[in-house]
Amino acid sequence: MAGAVGRINLLKLTQNHVGGLTACAKPFGCASMGIEPVPQRRWKSSAHLIKSLPKAKYGGRHTVTMLPGGGIGPELMSYVREVFRYAGVPVDFEEVPIDPSNDSNEDLEYAITSIRRNGAALKGNIETKSLSPNVISRNVAIRNELDLFVNVLHCTSFPGIQSRHSDVDIVVVRQNTEGEYAMMEHESVHGVVECLKVVTRENSDRVARFAFDYAKRHGRKKVTTIHKANIMKSSDGLFLAVCREVAKQYPDIQHNDMIIDNCCMQLVSNPHQFDVMVMPNLYGSIVSNVICGLIGGAGLLSGRNYGYEYAVFEPGTRNTGSAIAGKNIANPISMMNSAADLLHHLQLENHAVWLREAIDKTINVDRIHTPDLGGQATSMDVVKNIITFMQAKTKN
Amino acid sequence: MASGVFRRLLPINRNYCNVRYASTRTVTLIPGDGIGPEISAAVQKIFSAAQVPINWEPVDVTPVKGPDGRFGIPQAAIDSVNKHEIGLKGPLMTPIGKGHRSLNLALRKEFNLYANVRPCKSLDGYETLYKDVDVVTIRENTEGEYSGIEHEIVPGVVQSIKLITEDASMRVADFAFSYAKANGRSKVTVVHKANIMRMSDGLFLRCCREASKKFPEIKMEEKYLDTVCLTMVQDPSQYDVLVMPNLYGDILSDLCAGLVGGLGLTPSGNIGLNGAIFESVHGTAPDIAGQDKANPTALLLSAVMMLRYMELGTYANKIEKACFEVIKEGNKLTGDLGGKGKCSEFTDEICRKVESS
């Protein structure tokens, strides 16, 4: 079931009369989805800056920021480059390494500027080795700074992989910038620490609308809100109330809600009852990981982070994989899936479809599995198989 | 179960002598809402069939409006639990999004129940997709994300405070390692998210590290919450004892319960400074209340945990054995376990087995 699935293009480009391509400041990607952008009063958005920068497509070739991150990130990125090279994909990567042990945020700021310039990025998991509580997690900083307010993880089972449940098809839509990841903590007195979880109506509204619109566009029937409003009455209560309000505007789509602990129990015993799930940040992390575990592990699925102006693609479970770095046993499929998502986003549909078919064939037909899937193959074996398939397709 | 540990952790107080030497002890019983009353009755019936030397004192914890206008647990209930120091509780209802604060939380705060222990073991006779699960989740029970401190700063922006203190974290960390040692467990995994919540989970992690130094024979590992979620559903046998702050504990303990068959089969104990309350953790199931369809296994196994805590191990073993045998035989199972039996038939069958053993 890892075949081609429709994707939302948040970055539709318009041509100005001079012939170049400019991005319009109004987030019309969302307008094309029928979502009216919420007036941007409060959060940091640089839409007014983007108006004057052309989006990075020059001479028919796209430029995409590449953030390898740590652990297995660099090797997976090299595989993506190889595959793109053999398939003749018109994408150039602007690689921005971020030094994990450096406390200064220079690399991070350069990376963010690069993504603003290019509009799209492919990302591994960035390590933040600093122990100082003042240094914010770099992954979180990127998401918050670029206002990538939603993370979408489309989880489908692979028929060629042994797992306890088959035919799982769940879309996890997760709020990506606030909630428990607001990263505002302080120690009031010694030994007493407070950590703030922030939930706003605007962000909840955006995410809920995205989820329902996604469901509508892709013919999904049901959206489930996951929350813990019995305990966190105000914060998750607000999130739930907003989801219910948005649900009323989509009468064709069924809406129900479930408490997170019950949800985890149900996922483990009967994941087929879920269709699209929408939830705040932390629960999204938990649910994504549980579903990835049910399907076959961290090495398979890809996650998409969307904002009004930018899109960042990464492996779904955001693991660094330091333990297996450099050993040629990391599973490259999640990064390949992210690359396919990127290709869809850049509207290179042919290449996207071929890459998905290559992944499908490798995992389900040829069954070339790395050790995390119970096989004996190396990462290079998987990549070579994909390259062979792509070469054959691009010859025609 | 961990009677030795519990004994060491209880401060010596004047009531302790009563607990130890009285021949018949009194236990506070909180039947609860929904199916609570019928399953409590089932447990009482089984206990009398096994001739356990326990008197029950049922109390009602429905909140009453205090003189300050706020809802609280009735004084009679508080006095009862403080006197007897042991309680058995059925499911309580908490309304979503409004109404009084969760009663479960109020009970925990009132009696300083700082650790929640939930052993999840695969049951012989009730097969799930996961075999050989044997995990104990120990969760901090009083603070963390459930401190209940929330406010709307400006319209549309809500802030919820997660509180982590050194005292509470040290307490639960010490308990977790002591529990592991007393029950012959080899490994304690600390579950946290200190890469994101550096100060709060960082403090929790530091406390766990300190506690682990006092127990060098128990192996300790630290894992991120996402990694644990991912690997738990793939291979639960790699985990032994898990210790974590409140919210993660809530979710992970329910996840582990799902692996073994759901909340209808999972016992749970809340350990406090001055006693313990054992409870069934499933919901009140209002849709089947009063129809003799409820499954008393969770409350029964919690009562068995309670017996072990009270050092009545022989009775505990007898009742537990009977219960597992009935589940294994499989012909009197209730609806949630896939059978067609009634609660009363299930209870009677266990009573029969207990009396004949």
Side-chain angles (χ1 to χ4, degrees):
Chain A
M1 297 234 337
V5 183
R7 294 284 183 269
I8 299 176
N9 274 310
L10 277 182
L11 252 191
K12 268 208 189 122
L13 308 176
T14 52
Q15 280 190 323
N16 65 20
H17 50 272
V18 179
L21 295 164
T22 335
C24 180
K26 184 172 173 152
F28 56 99
C30 283
S32 74
M33 281 170 15
I35 298 177
E36 270 309 300
V38 179
Q40 293 162 352
R41 292 188 299 266
R42 221 165 269 145
W43 54 86
K44 294 172 275 197
S45 163
S46 50
H48 61 287
L49 297 172
I50 297 303
K51 198 166 30 180
S52 50
L53 289 175
K55 275 299 179 242
K57 187 175 179 185
Y58 311 109
R61 294 185 67 81
H62 298 265
T63 307
V64 171
T65 307
M66 177 184 268
L67 304 173
I72 50 175
E75 57 191 85
L76 295 186
M77 291 299 183
S78 68
Y79 300 147
V80 170
R81 280 187 198 268
E82 282 292 295
V83 169
F84 276 25
R85 188 165 68 88
Y86 277 101
V89 175
V91 168
D92 294 318
F93 285 111
E94 182 186 347
E95 187 165 331
V96 183
I98 298 184
D99 184 3
S101 39
N102 194 350
D103 268 10
S104 112
N105 285 331
E106 258 185 64
D107 289 341
L108 178 66
E109 278 163 25
Y110 184 69
I112 292 175
T113 313
S114 167
I115 301 177
R116 287 212 168 105
R117 196 186 324 119
N118 295 328
L122 192 63
K123 176 178 161 301
N125 200 38
I126 300 172
E127 285 181 297
T128 311
K129 284 220 172 87
S130 166
L131 298 169
S132 156
N134 299 322
V135 177
I136 195 176
S137 156
R138 304 229 155 97
N139 295 305
V140 175
I142 289 176
R143 294 197 283 270
N144 289 355
E145 194 62 34
L146 296 170
D147 197 27
L148 301 171
F149 64 89
V150 65
N151 174 286
V152 181
L153 192 70
H154 186 180
C155 310
T156 47
S157 285
F158 289 77
I161 293 180
Q162 282 269 7
S163 59
R164 291 182 175 93
H165 300 278
S166 53
D167 295 328
V168 174
D169 187 1
I170 303 176
V171 178
V172 177
V173 177
R174 155 189 179 187
Q175 210 295 321
N176 213 11
T177 50
E178 57 175 23
E180 296 82 351
Y181 290 36
M183 296 195 75
M184 288 182 259
E185 301 175 290
H186 52 272
E187 190 163 12
S188 331
V189 295
H190 175 72
V192 176
V193 176
E194 279 188 340
C195 173
L196 298 179
K197 163 179 166 166
V198 180
V199 176
T200 58
R201 174 172 283 278
E202 280 140 299
N203 272 324
S204 311
D205 188 74
R206 288 199 290 184
V207 149
R209 272 178 211 288
F210 184 97
F212 279 93
D213 203 75
Y214 186 99
K216 190 166 168 184
R217 285 178 142 234
H218 291 84
R220 316 287 295 206
K221 305 278 183 315
K222 186 167 86 166
V223 173
T224 308
T225 301
I226 309 294
H227 64 95
K228 189 110 185 126
N230 53 340
I231 303 291
M232 292 188 250
K233 293 183 196 286
S234 301
S235 35
D236 282 359
L238 174 63
F239 187 85
L240 181 60
V242 168
C243 287
R244 284 184 175 150
E245 279 168 29
V246 174
K248 291 196 188 115
Q249 297 168 22
Y250 293 83
D252 301 330
I253 299 181
Q254 215 189 328
H255 176 246
N256 66 341
D257 56 87
M258 198 179 272
I259 298 182
I260 173 74
D261 8 1
N262 189 16
C263 167
C264 285
M265 267 200 304
Q266 300 290 331
L267 274 174
V268 171
S269 46
N270 178 19
H272 303 102
Q273 59 184 292
F274 297 105
D275 192 356
V276 177
M277 300 166 81
V278 62
M279 60 201 86
N281 216 331
L282 181 69
Y283 311 147
S285 166
I286 295 170
V287 167
S288 314
N289 278 280
V290 169
I291 302 180
C292 284
L294 291 176
I295 287 176
L300 294 169
L301 298 172
S302 61
R304 301 171 259 152
N305 302 291
Y306 289 125
Y308 282 134
E309 292 106 15
Y310 317 108
V312 174
F313 304 94
E314 58 179 353
T317 48
R318 301 177 177 170
N319 298 84
T320 332
S322 324
I324 51 172
K327 295 186 183 159
N328 199 12
I329 51 171
N331 194 340
I333 295 293
S334 55
M335 197 56 88
M336 291 297 152
N337 267 322
S338 312
D341 292 337
L342 172 70
L343 292 171
H344 269 298
H345 180 78
L346 296 174
Q347 296 176 302
L348 296 168
E349 291 298 335
N350 287 337
H351 290 100
V353 168
W354 294 332
L355 184 51
R356 292 245 189 256
E357 285 175 3
I359 294 168
D360 184 38
K361 184 160 176 291
T362 309
I363 294 289
N364 299 323
V365 176
D366 302 334
R367 300 204 181 207
I368 301 178
H369 293 169
T370 40
D372 62 306
L373 299 175
Q376 306 294 331
T378 61
S379 316
M380 276 314 297
D381 294 337
V382 176
V383 174
K384 281 200 184 106
N385 196 288
I386 294 177
I387 288 176
T388 319
F389 185 93
M390 296 291 276
Q391 274 185 305
K393 281 287 176 181
T394 48
K395 270 200 180 77
N396 308 336
Chain B
M1 189 162 245
S3 49
V5 174
F6 298 152
R7 200 152 31 102
R8 271 198 294 282
L9 287 178
L10 275 182
I12 309 285
N13 57 26
R14 55 183 173 76
N15 289 330
Y16 190 66
C17 300
N18 291 344
V19 171
R20 211 163 164 201
Y21 295 114
S23 52
T24 306
R25 275 159 265 186
T26 314
V27 167
T28 308
L29 177 68
I30 303 168
D33 308 312
I35 51 172
E38 43 194 299
I39 52 177
S40 307
V43 169
Q44 286 175 289
K45 193 166 175 191
I46 294 171
F47 270 42
S48 58
Q51 293 170 340
V52 182
I54 278 184
N55 283 333
W56 300 99
E57 184 178 309
V59 295
D60 184 13
V61 291
T62 321
V64 290
K65 209 164 188 174
D68 54 355
R70 286 167 69 194
F71 282 95
I73 306 171
Q75 195 59 36
I78 298 178
D79 292 338
S80 171
V81 178
N82 276 332
K83 184 161 136 213
H84 304 300
E85 292 179 351
I86 311 243
L88 184 67
K89 174 174 130 352
L92 292 174
M93 196 197 63
T94 307
I96 291 185
K98 58 183 189 323
H100 56 77
R101 275 176 56 220
S102 163
L103 277 175
N104 293 316
L105 278 186
L107 281 171
R108 280 169 208 157
K109 288 239 169 83
E110 183 69 44
F111 305 118
N112 278 314
L113 301 173
Y114 64 85
N116 176 287
V117 183
R118 197 184 293 186
C120 298
K121 203 160 150 61
S122 289
L123 281 184
D124 222 1
Y126 187 65
E127 296 268 310
T128 57
L129 292 169
Y130 295 87
K131 322 254 176 291
D132 303 326
V133 181
D134 190 5
V135 172
V136 179
T137 52
I138 297 180
R139 118 192 199 206
E140 204 290 320
N141 216 2
T142 55
E143 54 172 29
E145 296 82 349
Y146 293 7
S147 36
I149 313 169
E150 292 182 300
H151 38 270
E152 188 168 17
I153 337 174
V154 290
V157 178
V158 176
Q159 209 166 278
S160 170
I161 293 184
K162 162 179 166 164
L163 191 64
I164 302 268
T165 57
E166 193 169 349
D167 292 337
S169 307
M170 274 314 305
R171 233 173 12 191
V172 80
D174 283 334
F175 175 80
F177 283 92
S178 314
Y179 180 94
K181 184 167 176 184
N183 287 277
R185 299 273 176 171
S186 50
K187 186 170 80 166
V188 173
T189 308
V190 182
V191 182
H192 64 94
K193 249 193 123 46
N195 51 344
I196 303 289
M197 292 181 244
R198 284 149 182 265
M199 271 186 175
S200 27
D201 282 358
L203 175 59
F204 185 83
L205 195 53
R206 272 199 310 278
C207 294
C208 290
R209 284 180 187 150
E210 264 185 58
S212 109
K213 289 195 191 116
K214 303 178 201 161
F215 294 86
E217 64 277 8
I218 308 278
K219 185 163 168 260
M220 172 181 104
E221 65 175 9
E222 306 166 2
K223 285 216 159 154
Y224 290 135
L225 174 65
D226 353 16
T227 313
V228 174
C229 287
L230 184 69
T231 44
M232 179 71 81
V233 295
Q234 292 181 291
D235 180 20
S237 60
Q238 57 186 297
Y239 293 108
D240 194 357
V241 177
L242 301 166
V243 63
M244 56 210 117
N246 215 332
L247 175 70
Y248 315 150
D250 194 3
I251 298 173
L252 268 183
S253 54
D254 279 3
L255 181 69
C256 296
L259 298 177
V260 300
L263 293 180
L265 297 171
T266 328
S268 167
N270 298 293
I271 311 304
L273 292 171
N274 304 316
I277 294 187
F278 297 85
E279 58 177 357
S280 62
V281 286
H282 49 74
T284 49
D287 45 334
I288 55 169
Q291 296 172 22
D292 203 15
K293 284 185 186 168
N295 183 355
T297 308
L299 194 61
L300 186 62
L301 290 177
S302 306
V304 163
M305 253 177 105
M306 179 184 79
L307 287 175
R308 293 202 169 106
Y309 174 85
M310 294 162 73
E311 296 176 14
L312 295 169
T314 27
Y315 297 101
N317 292 338
K318 202 160 61 163
I319 296 174
E320 195 183 36
K321 188 158 164 277
C323 179
F324 287 164
E325 271 175 26
V326 173
I327 293 178
K328 196 167 179 179
E329 277 165 20
N331 43 13
K332 295 277 193 287
L333 296 179
T334 45
D336 60 313
L337 296 180
K340 294 201 177 38
K342 290 200 168 103
C343 178
S344 44
E345 291 170 5
F346 186 77
T347 313
D348 291 338
E349 187 67 22
I350 299 182
C351 292
R352 255 196 296 276
K353 287 231 181 306
V354 160
E355 278 161 5
S356 61
S357 71

